[in-house]
Amino acid sequence: VDTDREKLRRAAHNAALYGVPGGNIVFVHGDAISVLKRYADGERIGGGGGDGDDAVEAETCCGYAIGGAELLPGRVDVVFLSPPWGGVGYGEAG
């Protein structure tokens, strides 16, 4: 999940380079918090954030689908979060 479609394209390219099967990965253009709100105990519960991220234009890149919430699976086992390096306020850290 990323709000930057170009980063999703790069991730799809990397997945293709490493031979990740298309059924094992989804690339969702949207907000991670909105996506997380769509799940409870690993099961999809429906609409979640309600911020209109279902209306994302779909595309295929390197054989992988990039789109909106319609790509989300019914169940997730693992969520990996990787915030931007340094985090908020990194420049002010002493």
Side-chain angles (χ1 to χ4, degrees), residues 10-61:
R10 291 178 192 164
H13 180 259
N14 287 343
L17 288 176
Y18 287 99
V20 178
N24 290 358
I25 192 166
V26 295
F27 297 99
V28 177
H29 188 209
D31 175 69
I33 299 301
S34 176
V35 168
L36 289 172
K37 288 179 180 179
R38 295 172 182 271
Y39 291 90
D41 296 322
E43 299 291 331
R44 182 138 183 214
I45 57 174
D51 55 9
D53 59 353
D54 284 327
V56 172
E57 184 177 338
E59 71 174 90
T60 301
C61 179

Side-chain angles (χ1 to χ4, degrees), residues 2 6 8-11 15 17 22-23 27 35 42-43 46-48 51 59 64 66 69 75-76 83 86 94:
D2 204 305
E6 186 56 36
L8 294 171
R9 291 181 185 120
R10 291 178 192 164
L17 288 176
F27 297 99
V35 168
E43 299 291 331
D51 55 9
E59 71 174 90
Y64 298 90
I66 298 175
R75 176 165 180 74
V76 294

